[in-house]
Amino acid sequence: MGGLSTIGRGRAPRALTALGLVFLSPSLSAQTKERDVVNPPLLPAEAPGLPAAKKLVMAVEQATAPTSHERVLDLNIVYTDGQIFNPATGVYDKVHLRSYQGPAVDPTAPYVSPTIEAVPGDTIRVNLNNGLPADPGCGPMAAHMPNKPHCFNGTNLHTHGLWVNPAGNGDNVLLSINPGVSFQYEYNIPGDHPSGTFWYHTHRHGSTALQVSSGMAGALIIRGDRLPTLQAHGDIDTLLRGMPERVLVMQQIQYACREPRMNGVLGPIKLNKDKTYRCDPGDVGAIEGYDLFAPGQWAQSGRYTTLNGVVLPTFHATQGQIERWRLIHAGVRDTISLTLVKMKPDARLASRLSEAASEKFIRQSCTGAALPYNLIAADGLTMGAAQQTKLATFQPGYRFDALVVFPEPGNYCLIDASSPGAGSVNGDTPGPRLMGTVTVAPGTAVPDIGAYVTDALVAHAEQAMLPAVKPAIVADLRAGLKLTQFTPHPDIAADEVTGTQELTFFIDTSDKNNTRFEVGNSLKVSDAQPYDPGRIDRKLVLGGVDEWTMQSQFASHPFHIHVNPFQIVSIIDPTGKDVSAPGSIDNSGGTVDPQYAGLKGVWKDTLWIKTLAPNDPTGIYTIKVRTRYQRYIGEFVLHCHILDHEDQGMMQNVAVVLGDGEIALKAAEGAKPMEGMTGH
């Protein structure tokens, strides 16, 4: 596809290597081999003009040739044998995990999925071929206990953040593509779709967390070449064209080795004395049980977040080179707080790096100033102004696009910093973890990062933008890196609102033998219910505009809704202060949580709904957002993006309907699942 220059997979051309635009993994032990850690490969499409391709449309083979705006892609779901580096032991652990496979998958990094690219106006057809073994958990009995994890080998596909049809064979996550079944998803991307960073992942209720944790997720990039005009905003890609780009998929693959099964029951996880996960010689790690996702298990496990499938990679960059980083939190349930810190010149990584050793290395070696970088897009949608930060908080499902430039040569630490308890998924305060290192070659000096980035973007605007809008764009950039000519959606004013919605997340622990993960349609805990696949919880009218008020009454949760993004109106802390304004400070007490400042007016599809402590009414945050229901009718879902919470019931069915609220529902009720597939 056209657009920005990228840092591709495989050995880079000599010219790029000389500029420091490739990045290599560190040799942390004798077993590791230095190799390029680059952007995930592109999932290849069948090119127009080739012989007719067999495509599966609604499970029926048809011979058709793709058009110039049609891309036909294959994703095969199979068990894959591979290995993942374990810094605590300095060796690779063998693993056996469900994964997406196809001709583009790098065999040395098989658990990060290929990137799908498209442009507005494209049709993407994805043949989802489920080659996993038969699974009795996908049978009719599962319908009686829908919120108990089940159907581990059933699957489907979700294009997270895309504004596309949710029904039929569109972005339909209410289907179960069972073992042995192939199904073709069709995503008709409208011509006015925003360019940006999105992602795709499995979304079969009952097994979403287990499969995403295995690596069944990948980047989905919509590229745009629309210049701003007097009549319409343009794509941020046109301002950044030619800038080196890194697509970084952050995953938390929580494999475990276990004791033997007893009476058919999954054996306990093997643990070291410090409670970290252990794999003995000959063991093969796997992800087969939801005990892996209990609160605090990720931090306890000793596993490391992978970047594009690699543990503790080293990136190579050049001083003064501005890069676009497309950062995707493709993990299941743990917060990532990303910061870059200058490393001591004489620092050296040990060949083995346990969690304790990682914290010690950070304390002793990552002692320089934190590097400021500019966030320009949230969840794929360009913000009204770039926001300079030294730490960006990623909850599961979040994406940020950032402009990163290293002002000095030398080495830098890429760190998942410690988070305040109320700002992390588990409510704990895990210590910092090393995610990778950056080696920066000498280049151009950068005395002031803000001025340097501004001057570079102004220079490109002067060259690339149309004369009629160029003065306004340049003035915006000079006035604090404003990007108002590149935002994808018009603001939603109060007088545009036609209705209201309320939402509460709640975990009911009153029955110790049956914890209930619930969502309510009001701010009352008494109205919260677990997911019912046969119940439509909200009817939203096509063409309407709702203001949503959201709270969480037990613990913090990331809210995600499919199809239509939302604009943040306010985030009110327990003292009544709006902490979403730029530079705002959280008055709730304790450590300041940085994740909300600057989000007022920002468009997103996933947002942290925060509470300070379980069942503490004095610690509740109140979130207000607004959203439009445009173009698409049909049934889809909203849910907590802690994916094991979603699998256990923290989800609702939502339907966008026509004005009388019935026509689309009658059509949906009359539809029957095809042979080999089920609704759930």
Side-chain angles (χ1 to χ4, degrees):
M1 308 297 295
L4 307 183
S5 62
T6 61
I7 303 171
R9 181 164 290 279
R11 293 291 172 183
R14 185 173 301 172
L16 288 183
T17 305
L19 289 172
L21 301 185
V22 296
F23 39 132
L24 309 174
S25 61
S27 297
L28 293 181
S29 74
Q31 284 77 17
T32 60
K33 295 181 180 179
E34 183 176 81
R35 64 179 180 83
D36 293 349
V37 181
V38 292
N39 292 345
L42 294 180
L43 191 63
E46 300 176 32
L50 293 180
K54 286 186 176 180
K55 300 188 296 184
L56 290 161
V57 182
M58 301 299 285
V60 178
E61 286 192 1
Q62 295 185 354
T64 57
T67 67
S68 60
H69 290 286
E70 185 173 271
R71 300 170 60 75
V72 183
L73 312 167
D74 278 285
L75 281 176
N76 304 315
I77 300 99
V78 296
Y79 269 110
T80 300
D81 292 316
Q83 58 183 13
I84 296 176
F85 185 66
N86 185 349
T89 60
V91 299
Y92 282 96
D93 289 333
K94 292 182 179 180
V95 292
H96 181 69
L97 302 173
R98 299 166 182 83
S99 73
Y100 292 125
Q101 288 293 306
V105 174
D106 181 351
T108 66
Y111 306 118
V112 60
S113 303
T115 297
I116 296 175
E117 283 195 0
V119 298
D122 274 355
T123 293
I124 303 174
R125 299 182 185 273
V126 179
N127 294 321
L128 196 66
N129 308 308
N130 189 345
L132 293 171
D135 184 348
C138 292
M141 290 300 293
H144 298 290
M145 300 183 71
N147 298 319
K148 180 179 179 180
H150 64 282
C151 199
F152 292 171
N153 289 349
T155 194
N156 58 33
L157 195 64
H158 172 44
T159 54
H160 185 126
L162 284 198
W163 182 38
V164 293
N165 178 19
N169 64 334
D171 187 38
N172 189 343
V173 300
L174 299 176
L175 295 174
S176 180
I177 315 303
N178 293 340
V181 175
S182 293
F183 181 73
Q184 185 178 90
Y185 277 92
E186 178 181 301
Y187 308 114
N188 296 302
I189 302 170
D192 54 351
H193 195 289
S195 64
T197 303
F198 307 97
W199 64 302
Y200 66 92
H201 60 86
T202 175
H203 204 296
R204 204 281 182 201
H205 181 64
S207 61
T208 302
L210 182 135
Q211 292 185 6
V212 170
S213 182
S214 300
M216 290 176 63
L220 201 169
I221 309 298
I222 304 297
R223 298 193 179 276
D225 59 3
R226 297 163 293 198
L227 289 165
T229 67
L230 291 175
Q231 291 76 36
H233 290 187
D235 296 312
I236 193 66
D237 295 3
T238 60
L239 185 65
L240 307 181
R241 183 171 287 117
M243 182 179 291
E245 177 180 298
R246 301 184 194 268
V247 178
L248 298 175
V249 181
M250 301 180 287
Q251 294 171 289
Q252 295 161 333
I253 300 178
Q254 199 169 331
Y255 64 92
C257 299
R258 295 180 180 269
E259 303 292 349
R261 286 178 177 264
M262 295 283 291
N263 299 320
V265 177
L266 204 62
I269 299 168
K270 289 185 175 181
L271 301 175
N272 295 307
K273 290 182 179 180
D274 63 358
K275 305 300 184 181
T276 57
Y277 291 4
R278 185 184 86 247
C279 287
D280 297 322
D283 284 348
V284 178
I287 298 176
E288 296 293 345
Y290 272 63
D291 54 341
L292 294 169
F293 307 124
Q297 278 290 301
W298 172 256
Q300 175 184 303
S301 71
R303 302 293 183 233
Y304 278 69
T305 299
T306 60
L307 293 165
N308 294 349
V310 180
V311 174
L312 288 179
T314 291
F315 307 99
H316 283 236
T318 299
Q319 177 191 18
Q321 173 67 69
I322 303 172
E323 299 178 353
R324 180 182 188 175
W325 288 23
R326 297 180 183 263
L327 294 148
I328 301 168
H329 188 333
V332 169
R333 65 153 25 246
D334 280 76
T335 306
I336 296 173
S337 300
L338 199 67
T339 189
L340 283 155
V341 178
K342 189 72 182 294
M343 189 189 301
K344 283 184 176 179
D346 58 349
R348 294 292 182 270
L349 279 173
S351 60
R352 295 173 63 172
L353 203 66
S354 65
E355 182 177 357
S358 173
E359 288 195 39
K360 182 178 179 181
F361 178 82
I362 290 170
R363 288 196 308 270
Q364 294 181 346
S365 301
C366 306
T367 57
L371 180 72
Y373 52 92
N374 285 282
L375 304 179
I376 60 167
D379 292 351
L381 304 174
T382 303
M383 300 189 295
Q387 296 183 15
Q388 190 176 96
T389 186
K390 295 179 181 178
L391 184 146
T393 301
F394 293 79
Q395 304 295 353
Y398 274 31
R399 289 93 64 213
F400 282 112
D401 285 37
L403 301 184
V404 180
V405 59
F406 295 94
E408 300 173 348
N411 295 320
Y412 292 76
C413 305
L414 183 64
I415 298 170
D416 178 1
S418 56
S419 303
S424 67
V425 163
N426 298 305
D428 54 7
T429 54
R433 294 291 299 275
L434 191 67
M435 294 179 65
T437 59
V438 184
T439 297
V440 180
T444 303
V446 182
D448 179 87
I449 287 177
Y452 187 86
V453 171
T454 298
D455 289 345
L457 295 188
V458 166
H460 197 273
E462 293 280 10
Q463 182 181 28
M465 296 296 111
L466 297 173
V469 294
K470 184 186 303 182
I473 292 172
V474 169
D476 273 353
L477 292 171
R478 292 289 188 199
L481 280 179
K482 292 181 181 178
L483 303 170
T484 52
Q485 299 291 321
F486 302 94
T487 55
H489 303 295
D491 292 343
I492 303 178
D495 60 5
E496 190 182 343
V497 173
T498 59
T500 60
Q501 297 286 327
E502 292 184 343
L503 177 142
T504 294
F505 285 129
F506 184 61
I507 302 177
D508 184 350
T509 59
S510 58
D511 182 349
K512 294 182 179 179
N513 298 316
N514 183 30
T515 298
R516 291 159 54 101
F517 294 83
E518 301 177 332
V519 186
N521 281 19
S522 75
L523 301 183
K524 298 177 181 178
V525 169
S526 58
D527 291 339
Q529 301 179 78
Y531 178 64
D532 180 346
R535 183 185 68 230
I536 293 178
D537 296 278
R538 298 175 194 266
K539 296 178 184 179
L540 311 172
V541 178
L542 184 70
V545 179
D546 278 346
E547 180 169 279
W548 291 59
T549 302
M550 299 185 286
Q551 293 180 346
S552 182
Q553 302 281 345
F554 183 86
S556 303
H557 302 274
F559 164 81
H560 172 54
I561 189 166
H562 293 200
V563 185
N564 298 291
F566 51 80
Q567 187 176 31
I568 297 168
V569 176
S570 63
I571 300 173
I572 307 300
D573 77 2
T575 71
K577 179 180 175 62
D578 187 350
V579 295
S580 66
S584 58
I585 297 175
D586 192 332
N587 286 340
S588 59
T591 305
V592 172
D593 188 340
Q595 66 182 299
Y596 285 143
L599 288 186
K600 181 180 288 291
V602 171
W603 287 83
K604 285 176 64 56
D605 58 56
T606 310
L607 183 62
W608 187 241
I609 311 300
K610 181 177 173 183
T611 188
L612 295 180
N615 294 322
D616 180 3
T618 67
I620 293 173
Y621 283 64
T622 301
I623 315 289
K624 287 187 182 291
V625 303
R626 294 174 185 154
T627 187
R628 302 180 178 100
Y629 312 120
Q630 296 180 318
R631 183 171 283 151
Y632 301 112
I633 60 173
E635 190 177 338
F636 51 96
V637 296
L638 63 80
H639 58 89
C640 168
H641 219 280
I642 300 172
L643 295 178
D644 56 293
H645 287 185
E646 178 238 298
D647 282 330
Q648 295 176 89
M650 197 168 274
M651 185 164 78
Q652 287 188 333
N653 287 327
V654 176
V656 173
V657 300
L658 299 182
D660 63 7
E662 293 301 328
I663 296 175
L665 298 182
K666 289 179 181 177
E669 290 165 359
K672 295 181 179 180
M674 298 177 305
E675 183 178 353
M677 292 191 295
T678 61
H680 69 279

